[in-house]
Amino acid sequence: MIVPLFLALSIVTLPLAVHGRQTTVIPKSNFIPLHPAVPSSSLQLTLVLPPTNIDGLHAALYDVSDPKSPNYGKHLSKAEVEAFVAPKPDSVKAVTDWLTQHNIHAQVASPSGDMLRINIPVSEANDLLEANFTEFKDQNTGLTLTRTLSVSIPDEVAPHLQYIYPTTQFIVPLKPHNPAFEVVTPPPKMKTKRQGVDICAIDVVPQCLEDYYHFPSAPATATDNSIGVSAYLNEIATEDDLDIFFLAWRPDVTTTPEFNVVSVDGGVTSGVGTGEASLDIQYTVGVATGVPTTLYSVGDAGGQGFIDLVNFLLGLDELPLVLSTSYGFNESDFFGAEDFANTFCNAYAQLGARGTSVFFCSGDNGVYSFSFDSACDATTFGPTFPSTCPFLTSVGATTGFNGPEVVANFSGGGFSNIFSRPDYQSTVVSGYLDALGSTNAGLFNRTGRAFPDVSAQGVNYVTRINGTFWLSDGTSASTPVWASVVALLNDARLNAGKAPLGFINPLLYSQGAAALNDVTNGSNAGCGKQGFPAMEGWDPATGLGSPDYDKLLALVIGL
Ligand SMILES: *[C@@H]1O[C@H](CO)[C@@H](O)[C@H](O)[C@H]1NC(C)=O
Ligand SMILES: *[C@@H]1O[C@H](CO)[C@@H](O)[C@H](O)[C@H]1NC(C)=O
Ligand SMILES: *[C@@H]1O[C@H](CO)[C@@H](O)[C@H](O)[C@H]1NC(C)=O
Ligand SMILES: *[C@@H]1O[C@H](CO)[C@@H](O)[C@H](O)[C@H]1NC(C)=O
Ligand SMILES: *[C@@H]1O[C@H](CO)[C@@H](O)[C@H](O)[C@H]1NC(C)=O
Ligand SMILES: *[C@@H]1O[C@H](CO)[C@@H](O)[C@H](O)[C@H]1NC(C)=O
């Protein structure tokens, strides 16, 4: 009886129906199939074609970002970046011929042409890709995703098409979260700096950061400077809240603080001020005062929105010189979708090559994931993404104004399971791992890209949200502060006729540590685990440390 049964099983598992390159995925157990997707409903799919020379892009990025290189600061033009990432003409032809055979018309969805976009009904997508698009429910969040467990690309097209999104990738869109947790009675208006220092232990306002990190109080002046702040999830900041924030905490500034709002993917451009966007804008305009600031409000809170924002920016002739993002994903969402993670990471490499410094928050659950909200059943630490991409700067959090800062215990940090360690950090990370010994052995990946790169104060930020002062904690707070530091340094560089700083990790890891405050006390917790202890030098709780503006200024003006 056993033999025929075995034979029958073998027959059904033969790949009879499959032609071409098949991609299959087994999603995490929290995704439950509900029912087949409605055949007539429309799917928007992005087809990602292989870049002509991605290694060339990475080499060019390091060449213009390494202070020892003769090409330091000679950032690439739009056309030079596009030449690296554009698909080969053969690929464009193979993919468009295939679509044309199916009467499908694609639109170019990225400046370099490496992404094409199609809108087709589910029934057609099922035929085209030998797929079975299904509604899946994420039991953790209640959200539903239309995905398929397998897609198949014909042999003649497969070498010309990296992947199609969203098909087999189970990446949950960002979840609404509000970093503000407590309404506060505003502390008495500060009249002198001395008084300011006294309140910083309880309520952090821009003057606390100015004093502690030696930021300049005079507004920036270079007119060709710029900083961008991304917003997702219908987050928005208002001029009203910003004006009152300035009246209270930047009484020294006489001009009206301003920012622009640009909508991407139909993001909101007005409305009642919300927590994250208000925090990000107030501590960008409040620290990088005088630097032209734009809030990029992105309507899509999934992976697509992150890519669409970068494509929007790459299409501009003049990019923001700094981009700050206080949102992110669990890196584990990208298991099985590593090629999609690479697309993100290469998008940030393109921004860096063009001279934009890209900052991401490292996460607020210590060694364990983003937005951790359920009983901890993890057997390993959970890094966050995009922080684990090596081509951007990840920012952790510290606390304490009376004496040296200590780790804010929620500060995200750790080691990637997808991206290997870049050369620029290999020495300091090896040193840390040697000193760490067997602590946390087996809980993290010793070969991965380590994060965060740097850190700054992240506790008790006073923020004005819809007419009320709140206190906010998080790497959401430290990230716009670091981004603003670099915007101020760019101001000095631009005024001295020098190039903006662009991708700063090679500089920070080679020469920057001496210009930072090393944080050596505390550890990041999470998941009932102790996390990583801060130590002398780099550590996966606070990176290389927090900014000392005077020293950083001397460093970057000397380059
Ligand atoms: C397609 O997926 C549904 C679940 O949504 C499943 O019931 C059905 O058997 C699948 N069809 C095929 C042909 O695999
Ligand atoms: C990240 O993973 C944790 C643990 O599984 C989960 O609680 C949290 O909701 C996830 N966060 C996001 C943004 O998906
Ligand atoms: C982190 O620090 C806060 C404030 O000091 C404390 O209440 C909390 O218990 C700490 N969390 C962990 C996991 O140690
Ligand atoms: C560890 O990280 C490397 C990248 O550095 C990756 O290739 C490998 O798969 C990871 N190992 C595990 C067990 O996740
Ligand atoms: C904003 O503030 C106004 C005035 O206090 C209040 O009526 C409104 O409910 C608030 N909106 C939100 C979304 O909190
Ligand atoms: C570490 O910081 C704590 C405050 O969080 C302080 O009480 C302690 O003395 C510090 N330890 C050292 C060695 O500086």
Side-chain angles (χ1 to χ4, degrees):
M1 287 299 113
I2 286 167
V3 172
L5 182 59
F6 176 73
L7 279 177
L9 278 176
S10 320
I11 289 163
V12 294
T13 57
L14 280 177
L16 290 178
V18 175
H19 307 285
R21 182 187 69 205
Q22 195 185 23
T23 305
T24 57
V25 70
I26 300 170
K28 284 195 256 177
S29 59
N30 47 300
F31 289 101
I32 307 296
L34 294 178
H35 52 79
V38 176
S40 60
S41 65
S42 179
L43 279 180
Q44 185 185 71
L45 300 175
T46 301
L47 288 72
V48 180
L49 280 54
T52 295
N53 182 7
I54 206 67
D55 293 342
L57 174 72
H58 297 162
L61 172 66
Y62 283 122
D63 192 32
V64 298
S65 310
D66 176 356
K68 289 189 298 297
S69 161
N71 293 321
Y72 180 71
K74 295 181 184 163
H75 298 118
L76 279 66
S77 69
K78 183 170 184 287
E80 286 168 331
V81 166
E82 287 172 5
F84 284 120
V85 291
K88 293 187 172 137
D90 283 1
S91 297
V92 179
K93 183 172 184 334
V95 172
T96 49
D97 284 356
W98 172 56
L99 295 174
T100 305
Q101 280 162 24
H102 289 83
N103 287 317
I104 298 169
H105 175 70
Q107 283 177 326
V108 176
S110 67
S112 69
D114 64 339
M115 296 182 199
L116 302 174
R117 195 160 286 169
I118 60 177
N119 281 290
I120 54 176
V122 163
S123 54
E124 249 179 75
N126 282 340
D127 287 348
L128 181 73
L129 305 172
E130 295 178 29
N132 182 13
F133 277 94
T134 298
E135 298 296 334
F136 288 87
K137 181 172 181 166
D138 173 15
Q139 290 191 309
N140 287 348
T141 61
L143 291 167
T144 58
L145 297 177
T146 306
R147 295 291 186 272
T148 171
L149 298 181
S150 111
V151 294
S152 174
I153 309 288
D155 282 329
E156 63 277 18
V157 181
H160 302 291
L161 182 53
Q162 286 189 292
Y163 65 94
I164 304 176
Y165 180 82
T167 53
T168 55
Q169 306 86 357
F170 282 77
I171 292 145
V172 187
L174 302 174
K175 277 189 302 180
H177 75 291
N178 195 330
F181 65 94
E182 190 186 334
V183 184
V184 288
T185 316
K189 190 167 165 178
M190 287 182 294
K191 295 195 181 63
T192 67
K193 289 206 167 195
R194 216 38 286 138
Q195 272 178 299
V197 171
D198 293 339
I199 69 161
C200 297
I202 312 156
D203 296 311
V204 175
V205 297
Q207 236 166 37
C208 299
L209 303 167
E210 192 183 308
D211 290 347
Y212 196 83
Y213 293 139
H214 310 140
F215 297 157
S217 52
T221 54
T223 49
D224 48 350
N225 200 358
S226 54
I227 183 168
V229 174
S230 13
Y232 293 85
L233 296 165
N234 299 324
E235 286 270 351
I236 195 77
T238 69
E239 286 287 348
D240 277 1
D241 284 332
L242 184 65
D243 287 350
I244 304 291
F245 181 86
F246 262 68
L247 278 175
W249 316 124
R250 290 300 313 264
D252 55 313
V253 178
T254 50
T255 51
T256 308
E258 289 177 340
F259 64 99
N260 300 315
V261 182
V262 168
S263 170
V264 175
D265 287 345
V268 298
T269 54
S270 63
V272 169
T274 57
E276 182 68 67
S278 301
L279 170 68
D280 295 349
I281 281 295
Q282 286 164 27
Y283 282 87
T284 300
V285 183
V287 172
T289 310
V291 179
T293 302
T294 302
L295 183 72
Y296 294 98
S297 169
V298 185
D300 181 314
Q304 191 65 60
F306 277 64
I307 296 296
D308 287 346
L309 174 59
V310 179
N311 280 332
F312 172 82
L313 297 175
L314 289 171
L316 302 174
D317 289 323
E318 303 287 336
L319 278 72
L321 299 183
V322 178
L323 179 66
S324 178
T325 305
S326 292
Y327 303 81
F329 300 89
N330 290 336
E331 193 193 58
S332 60
D333 280 8
F334 287 78
F335 293 169
E338 286 82 0
D339 42 12
F340 190 43
N342 271 299
T343 296
F344 270 66
C345 194
N346 289 327
Y348 300 123
Q350 292 176 64
L351 292 180
R354 294 218 12 220
T356 299
S357 307
V358 179
F359 289 89
F360 271 91
C361 64
S362 71
D364 294 344
N365 292 97
V367 288
Y368 195 62
S369 308
F370 240 105
S371 310
F372 174 63
D373 57 5
S374 55
C376 181
D377 55 1
T379 49
T380 56
F381 292 162
T384 65
F385 185 76
S387 265
T388 52
C389 165
F391 306 127
L392 53 82
T393 304
S394 167
V395 185
T398 66
T399 185
F401 282 87
N402 299 318
E405 290 157 273
V406 304
V407 180
N409 64 8
F410 56 76
S411 179
F415 296 79
S416 178
N417 288 309
I418 295 179
F419 294 95
S420 58
R421 182 134 65 247
D423 287 348
Y424 62 74
Q425 64 172 195
S426 63
T427 306
V428 294
V429 176
S430 302
Y432 180 84
L433 289 173
D434 287 347
L436 186 68
S438 62
T439 303
N440 297 332
L443 293 173
F444 69 98
N445 189 330
R446 296 177 76 90
T447 66
R449 182 313 196 213
F451 72 104
D453 299 300
V454 291
S455 54
Q457 297 277 347
V459 177
N460 290 341
Y461 274 50
V462 178
T463 310
R464 182 132 178 126
I465 308 165
N466 187 25
T468 310
F469 282 106
W470 298 72
L471 284 185
S472 309
D473 285 357
T475 54
S476 284
S478 52
T479 302
V481 168
W482 248 105
S484 296
V485 169
V486 170
L488 291 171
L489 294 170
N490 277 341
D491 194 67
R493 296 248 322 157
L494 294 172
N495 282 333
K498 293 173 189 265
L501 288 165
F503 176 47
I504 59 165
N505 292 9
L507 170 65
L508 290 177
Y509 281 90
S510 63
Q511 303 176 24
L516 303 179
N517 307 305
D518 190 4
V519 181
T520 59
N521 184 355
S523 66
N524 51 0
C527 207
K529 298 287 197 304
Q530 188 66 56
F532 292 108
M535 291 187 196
E536 206 173 300
W538 180 90
D539 54 69
T542 62
L544 294 164
S546 68
D548 185 322
Y549 187 82
D550 291 338
K551 292 179 184 168
L552 283 166
L553 181 65
L555 173 67
V556 304
I557 285 299
L559 293 173

